[in-house]
Amino acid sequence: MMNPKVVVAGLGAMGSSALYHLARRGTRVVGLDRFQPPHAMGSSHGDSRIIREAYYEHPLYVPLVRRAYELWDELARNWGKQVYRKTGGLMLGPPDGPLLTGCLASVREHGIPHKMLSATEVGNRWRGLTPPEGFVGLWEERAGMLFPERVVAAHLRLAAEAGAEVRTNTTLLGWSRSGEDLVLTTDRGDIRTRYLVLALGPWISQLLPSQARDFAVERQQFHWFDPASGYGDLGPDQYPVALWEHWPGGLFVTLPDAGNGVKIDIHHEGESADPDTVSRVTTPEEEAAVRVLLAKFFPGANGRLRASTVCLYTNTPDRHFVIDWHSADPGVLVLSPCSGHGFKFSSVVGEVAADLVLSGRSRFDLTPFSLTRF
């Protein structure tokens, strides 16, 4: 390829989507990744991820996730394989806790269809779920699962078919300005381009060292369990995705068995980490902590451990995204350190990136995602 107009660095959820949307619009674009995506080294793996609309984090995300649903459907049609499966979703916790009050704020502002359930109703409907007395559940019909490895593979394959060049095992080391162009330095030679999209996830601080404190990497674990003795199929036809507020402000997530067991993820309780040196092996102590939660809230899934892995969150101080041009170099777009809740949006974030690069604007208000707000 002659000098590309755009280089996308990092080909996980956000970067692969940006590459796809740019290539489908006829843009000369090259994608770089230090590994061989889809891979398990960053934040875009783990068999399944939740998508939901009654967004407790903030109502501003609802228009984005609605567009994301449309784009997931489009991606599945173009690829010919399923990337999203509707299961319905439960948000469970005290009625005055951050999870339920945040969900209801989004529901009321955007008119999201939902149903409120008591703890008893939840337990009666889904054997094996045991929310404590005093919990309530918000039921959302359209929630479900995305399949991250499939998503990244689909975006990359369709981007390549549309003319994108994918360079794996290639690390971006830095860039400099040369007139209207950027000269990118990689471990496999220089690339000259007009625009650079930085979608590096936990490695973003290495390219933006002056803002390293704004992108804190956190080590997370995923565990998968067989059903406990006496419980039957816990698959997506029978069980929903669920968010649980197990202490004030503390959440964990469960996803039904999509073939590898019921998945559980304790949300935002991991230690600080360096993506190059982090331990990628879970411990017996971490399994034990997860089993305490299963025994109390989801005993139906407290069976044999099937598998476990480590994932990395890249957290901003307010846990909202970053989608903004670099303040010192307007040719560099910083894309979405996602604070552990971004995968469901990756289809639309890639579209937004393409809009910004090619037209300078987006249909969405991106002010809350400014890089300079910190």
Side-chain angles (χ1 to χ4, degrees), residues 143-206:
M145 299 190 297
L146 296 164
F147 303 106
E149 288 85 356
R150 294 186 203 176
V151 164
V152 173
H155 277 143
L156 292 178
R157 177 176 172 178
L158 294 172
E161 290 177 356
E165 181 180 342
V166 177
R167 301 184 189 179
T168 59
N169 302 306
T170 303
T171 302
L172 176 66
L173 303 174
W175 71 86
S176 59
R177 173 64 65 178
S178 177
E180 293 186 345
D181 290 343
L182 298 166
V183 179
L184 311 186
T185 303
T186 82
D187 60 353
R188 297 195 171 207
D190 292 350
I191 307 172
R192 196 176 186 95
T193 186
R194 290 294 302 275
Y195 298 100
L196 170 64
V197 177
L198 285 179
L200 295 172
W203 289 273
I204 191 76
S205 295
Q206 296 178 5

Side-chain angles (χ1 to χ4, degrees), residues 282-304:
T282 63
T283 68
E285 292 77 16
E286 289 166 338
E287 178 190 341
V290 167
R291 286 193 181 276
V292 168
L293 295 174
L294 289 176
K296 182 176 181 180
F297 298 103
F298 196 173
N302 201 10
R304 180 179 67 93

Side-chain angles (χ1 to χ4, degrees), residues 58-80:
H58 200 285
L60 69 90
Y61 289 94
V62 175
L64 283 163
V65 81
R66 286 176 167 170
R67 177 58 179 157
Y69 271 107
E70 296 172 350
L71 291 169
W72 293 127
D73 287 343
E74 176 189 284
L75 182 66
R77 289 194 302 271
N78 291 338
W79 196 39

Side-chain angles (χ1 to χ4, degrees), residues 34-35 41-42 171-173 200-207 217 272-280 312:
R34 65 179 62 209
F35 303 111
M41 302 300 287
T171 302
L172 176 66
L173 303 174
L200 295 172
W203 289 273
I204 191 76
S205 295
Q206 296 178 5
L207 274 295
V217 179
S272 297
D274 181 315
D276 294 322
T277 61
V278 63
S279 172
R280 297 184 179 275
L312 301 177

Side-chain angles (χ1 to χ4, degrees), residues 44-346:
S44 301
H45 60 285
D47 288 352
S48 58
R49 295 294 178 92
I50 286 179
I51 184 167
R52 52 194 165 84
E53 193 173 353
Y55 217 67
Y56 84 89
E57 289 87 343
H58 200 285
L60 69 90
Y61 289 94
V62 175
L64 283 163
V65 81
R66 286 176 167 170
R67 177 58 179 157
Y69 271 107
E70 296 172 350
L71 291 169
W72 293 127
D73 287 343
E74 176 189 284
L75 182 66
R77 289 194 302 271
N78 291 338
W79 196 39
K81 298 180 183 179
Q82 184 184 54
V83 298
Y84 153 72
R85 182 166 183 174
K86 186 172 78 170
T87 64
L90 279 172
M91 321 305 161
L92 294 150
D96 58 350
L99 176 60
L100 268 297
T101 57
C103 287
L104 288 170
S106 287
V107 161
R108 290 164 182 154
E109 183 167 331
H110 294 285
I112 299 167
H114 70 287
K115 183 178 181 180
M116 301 304 298
L117 302 172
S118 69
T120 299
E121 288 172 319
V122 170
N124 288 340
R125 181 169 174 181
W126 293 281
R127 179 172 173 265
L129 302 186
T130 55
E133 184 178 351
F135 268 37
V136 296
L138 185 149
W139 169 254
E140 178 189 329
E141 182 74 27
R142 193 159 67 141
M145 299 190 297
L146 296 164
F147 303 106
E149 288 85 356
R150 294 186 203 176
V151 164
V152 173
H155 277 143
L156 292 178
R157 177 176 172 178
L158 294 172
E161 290 177 356
E165 181 180 342
V166 177
R167 301 184 189 179
T168 59
N169 302 306
T170 303
T171 302
L172 176 66
L173 303 174
W175 71 86
S176 59
R177 173 64 65 178
S178 177
E180 293 186 345
D181 290 343
L182 298 166
V183 179
L184 311 186
T185 303
T186 82
D187 60 353
R188 297 195 171 207
D190 292 350
I191 307 172
R192 196 176 186 95
T193 186
R194 290 294 302 275
Y195 298 100
L196 170 64
V197 177
L198 285 179
L200 295 172
W203 289 273
I204 191 76
S205 295
Q206 296 178 5
L207 274 295
L208 298 174
S210 65
Q211 292 198 256
R213 68 184 183 279
D214 299 327
F215 303 118
V217 179
E218 180 183 8
R219 179 180 174 276
Q220 299 287 131
Q221 317 108 46
F222 302 147
H223 292 79
W224 289 264
F225 293 92
D226 280 337
S229 178
Y231 292 89
D233 186 0
L234 302 181
D237 289 336
Q238 289 78 31
Y239 280 77
V241 299
L243 274 68
W244 304 76
E245 185 178 342
H246 65 107
W247 57 269
L251 301 181
F252 72 96
V253 179
T254 56
L255 297 94
D257 183 357
N260 197 32
V262 173
K263 180 181 176 183
I264 177 170
D265 165 24
I266 300 176
H267 191 52
H268 281 308
E269 296 182 34
E271 71 268 17
S272 297
D274 181 315
D276 294 322
T277 61
V278 63
S279 172
R280 297 184 179 275
V281 179
T282 63
T283 68
E285 292 77 16
E286 289 166 338
E287 178 190 341
V290 167
R291 286 193 181 276
V292 168
L293 295 174
L294 289 176
K296 182 176 181 180
F297 298 103
F298 196 173
N302 201 10
R304 180 179 67 93
L305 178 69
R306 289 278 298 271
S308 63
T309 193
V310 167
C311 177
L312 301 177
Y313 286 0
T314 307
N315 301 320
T316 63
D318 59 10
R319 294 190 178 169
H320 292 307
F321 300 168
V322 171
I323 304 173
D324 198 9
W325 296 103
H326 192 301
S327 58
D329 198 324
V332 178
L333 180 64
V334 182
L335 197 60
S336 198
C338 303
S339 300
H341 64 108
F343 193 93
K344 65 187 72 63
F345 298 98
S346 54

